[in-house]
Amino acid sequence: MTDTITTEEPSDGDTRPAAPWLVRLRERATDNRLARLVEVLAVLPLIATVLDILKAPQLQYTDYWYVLLRITNPDGSLHLAGMQILQNEHPLMIPGFLYWLDARFAGGDNRILGLLVVVIAAATILLLRAALPKTLPPLLRAGLVVGASALVFSPHGLHNFVRAMSGSAWLTANLLVVAALLLAYHRKWWPAWIVGVLACMSYGTAFAVWPAFALMATIGREKVWRRLLPLGVGLLVVLTWMALKPAVDPGGSPANDPASLLYTLFAVIGHLWTAENAGFAVFAGVVVVGIYCWLLTNPVARSPKLRFWWALAVHAFFASAMIAAARIDFGADFGLSSRYTSLSVLMAIPAMVLTAVVVHRASARAQHAWMAAVLVGILGFTLGSPTAATIRSQNAEHPLQAFALRAGLGDAYGAVLPPAAQLVPRLESMGHYPFNDDFTLGCDGPEFGDSLDMNEMTPLPPADERNPRSPAGSVDDIEAKNTASVIRGWATGVDDPVRCAVVVDAEGRITGGGLTHLSRPDVTVKLSGISADVGYAVIAPAAETARVVIILESGAMRWLPPTAPATEE
């Protein structure tokens, strides 16, 4: 269906020719070549996200492991019956299948799954681009695409890309919802409803697509049964979900008052427009809803030709309300969680498009609106920087779980990982990371179970502030984790850089390992002129730690006793 929204030149009785600069501006606004050049900018946020993914941990995250156990047989083949079990109240049938594909054919690499999530997000942007009113000038359409890309790939939502098990659910559901609504816009109702069911099989937030279908049918003056059937299907979906839903403990003290519910709702909606302030997110959420209220008063925005954008906004609003109702007990700031960003995005983009249509219709001279769309996208993208920094910091020690699994210490992390007796044999049979050739201690030779010559090791002295380039190091903290210990500290090797860190028992056998080159800016303050990436974190059996061994690039081995300095009470 082709949009018939037209833009007419307002008439004020002035018959004088337009100024030359205005003529040139109009020509540029309708120049397809310039629009295509502007649209290329939409790739930049995608590239930034890909770079983050390539630096992300290879090991998967919590929910992935539990789903993988349910949907696979001991030999790694697909177990379809396990897909009907909900994970944290959500159906993950389609994401679960993506998990299985990644496990079976990509060694379970979180980064490969993250790149797939990028493709899913890019496909969503392309569908949104296809839904833009064709009567808008090419340059304005291009600006809206760039703005939408900046919001979809905003660092606010980095969680869904670098922890791909999450994005595989959230963004797959969003893609299917957008596709379903676009089919409904073109009055292909049965395919739309089928895709809507697939969306509901991806994540619970997609349940909100059914009232969006009903709204679109009502605005489009469809037959009554087409308006009511989506509501009936939506009710059936919810009843089926309730039959499968297990009892779930609340996240904290019950908070069922209306103010708390509205607080979380508006925080989810306004999440894009703040750095880390939940109160301002609530304010921004109210402003976004206010913009929709204003748009409802405008006859141009209420055009049936724009029903796709209204339906998408209704879906996003109800999905946000579902999150608010389900997570009201998790704290006042929970609405700022990075994984909820896509709902804030789906609320923002229709508002951008509808406002652009109204502004363009109101004045044919509003050719600069494309720049406003780009700037809105840049604002939402830039404000996500603090959230991205938090996500990267939280991910820094996540690869340590891979070392724990390979060392037979998977149970050290409690419920973060399923019981090792269930998980490890499954991973070994599938050749799943960290039980494949991709895993290494990073020592360019020695691996778990190998022995190092204790006589070739020399003690690593403490810091010498007068000679910061001299090799030095320390054990700063030992964290007990069931039968394991996580040992953290720092070690420098300015002229002979640190290659890896391991833990050996009394006979020199490697029993533990972990991460090096972690950020320790506090050490930089003490030893001026050295890089801050001198931190390490290793995990090993608690009863067998004899030495922490730092292996340098030259092959020299320095050791530290696995005892942390006493702290003052």
Side-chain angles (χ1 to χ4, degrees):
M1 179 182 296
T2 303
D3 272 311
T4 57
I5 297 176
T6 58
T7 303
E8 298 177 357
E9 181 77 24
S11 176
D12 56 3
D14 190 349
T15 59
R16 291 176 297 176
W21 66 269
L22 182 57
V23 173
R24 290 194 298 272
L25 189 61
R26 290 174 183 170
E27 290 174 350
R28 289 173 182 171
T30 57
D31 186 343
N32 286 315
R33 291 172 299 178
L34 179 58
R36 284 194 291 269
L37 287 175
V38 170
E39 211 164 352
V40 170
L41 297 175
V43 180
L44 297 180
L46 183 152
I47 293 174
T49 302
V50 168
L51 293 177
D52 257 309
I53 290 171
L54 295 178
K55 294 181 288 187
Q58 187 170 350
L59 190 73
Q60 297 284 357
Y61 287 79
T62 303
D63 287 355
Y64 172 94
W65 302 117
Y66 288 94
V67 174
L68 189 68
L69 281 179
R70 291 199 301 265
I71 67 172
T72 56
N73 297 307
D75 64 352
S77 58
L78 189 62
H79 179 59
L80 290 174
M83 287 191 169
Q84 68 178 345
I85 302 174
L86 304 181
Q87 178 67 28
N88 290 338
E89 305 177 74
H90 290 280
L92 292 180
M93 297 176 188
I94 292 177
F97 183 65
L98 297 179
Y99 296 173
W100 179 79
L101 289 176
D102 183 60
R104 196 68 173 173
F105 301 105
D109 194 328
N110 171 60
R111 300 167 302 179
I112 298 298
L113 195 59
L115 294 176
L116 176 60
V117 175
V118 167
V119 172
I120 291 169
T124 303
I125 294 170
L126 291 176
L127 289 180
L128 294 173
R129 177 182 183 274
L132 290 172
K134 302 298 186 294
T135 51
L136 290 178
L139 196 53
L140 180 52
R141 285 169 51 86
L144 290 169
V145 172
V146 174
S149 177
L151 297 183
V152 169
F153 289 107
S154 168
H156 272 301
L158 189 62
H159 174 107
N160 282 331
F161 295 99
V162 297
R163 301 183 182 185
M165 59 88 192
S166 183
S168 299
W170 284 91
L171 300 191
T172 297
N174 290 349
L175 171 64
L176 292 171
V177 164
V178 171
L181 293 178
L182 195 55
L183 287 168
Y185 174 76
H186 290 289
R187 292 190 163 90
K188 298 178 181 179
W189 288 104
W190 286 106
W193 293 333
I194 291 172
V195 176
V197 171
L198 293 177
C200 293
M201 294 167 61
S202 297
Y203 211 60
T205 51
F207 295 177
V209 74
W210 300 103
F213 279 140
L215 175 69
M216 183 174 288
T218 302
I219 296 175
R221 298 181 179 179
E222 298 287 341
K223 295 178 180 179
V224 174
W225 70 269
R226 286 179 179 162
R227 306 181 197 184
L228 298 180
L229 181 62
L231 297 178
V233 174
L235 178 61
L236 181 61
V237 168
V238 171
L239 292 176
T240 303
W241 170 78
M242 292 179 66
L244 297 173
K245 175 182 174 293
V248 177
D249 293 331
S253 300
N256 297 319
D257 59 289
S260 296
L261 181 63
L262 289 173
Y263 190 97
T264 306
L265 169 63
F266 287 121
V268 172
I269 293 173
H271 174 46
L272 268 174
W273 311 112
T274 181
E276 294 179 315
N277 188 304
F280 191 83
V282 171
F283 176 79
V286 172
V287 170
V288 170
V289 173
I291 290 173
Y292 280 107
C293 293
W294 168 72
L295 288 167
L296 278 173
T297 67
N298 189 288
V300 174
R302 294 200 308 268
S303 168
K305 302 301 181 182
L306 297 173
R307 61 188 182 278
F308 167 85
W309 300 103
W310 283 107
L312 183 58
V314 164
H315 159 77
F317 180 84
F318 279 113
S320 299
M322 290 168 60
I323 292 297
R327 297 294 181 259
I328 190 174
D329 297 326
F330 283 69
D333 293 345
F334 206 73
L336 296 185
S337 297
S338 178
R339 59 183 176 274
Y340 300 156
T341 299
S342 63
L343 295 182
S344 186
V345 170
L346 292 185
M347 281 295 292
I349 292 177
M352 284 175 53
V353 174
L354 293 169
T355 302
V357 172
V358 170
V359 170
H360 178 70
R361 178 66 183 270
S363 173
R365 300 186 180 188
Q367 308 294 354
H368 57 281
W370 73 271
M371 290 185 286
V374 172
L375 290 175
V376 167
I378 291 174
L379 176 63
F381 186 89
T382 305
L383 286 173
S385 180
T387 300
T390 299
I391 295 294
R392 295 183 192 112
S393 176
Q394 292 171 346
N395 288 350
E397 284 196 12
H398 177 71
L400 202 59
Q401 295 176 26
F403 293 87
L405 287 168
R406 279 301 292 260
L409 303 171
D411 290 333
Y413 284 89
V416 172
L417 293 170
Q422 300 175 23
L423 180 63
V424 170
R426 194 72 50 95
L427 300 184
E428 289 176 335
S429 68
M430 299 179 72
H432 190 298
Y433 184 83
F435 296 94
N436 57 26
D437 293 339
D438 288 345
F439 178 83
T440 177
L441 290 175
C443 298
D444 197 21
E447 298 291 343
F448 278 121
D450 293 342
S451 294
L452 302 178
D453 190 342
M454 304 278 279
N455 295 322
E456 293 186 3
M457 303 175 188
T458 57
L460 190 60
D464 182 356
E465 297 181 16
R466 294 169 298 180
N467 191 7
R469 298 187 66 87
S470 297
S474 171
V475 172
D476 295 335
D477 174 67
I478 299 178
E479 178 186 0
K481 282 186 172 291
N482 296 326
T483 58
S485 296
V486 174
I487 306 169
R488 298 181 180 90
W490 60 272
T492 64
V494 178
D495 299 314
D496 191 2
V498 173
R499 179 187 295 169
C500 69
V502 297
V503 179
V504 298
D505 61 17
E507 286 74 39
R509 184 173 60 91
I510 298 177
T511 60
L515 311 172
T516 56
H517 302 294
L518 301 177
S519 179
R520 286 291 303 269
D522 58 311
V523 178
T524 304
V525 173
K526 182 187 298 184
L527 301 175
S528 60
I530 68 168
S531 173
D533 63 340
V534 295
Y536 67 80
V538 293
I539 188 166
E544 299 182 18
T545 54
R547 288 181 177 180
V548 177
V549 181
I550 308 298
I551 302 179
L552 306 178
E553 286 293 342
S554 65
M557 295 183 291
R558 306 296 183 98
W559 69 274
L560 292 161
T563 55
T567 57
E568 296 183 4
E569 293 292 336

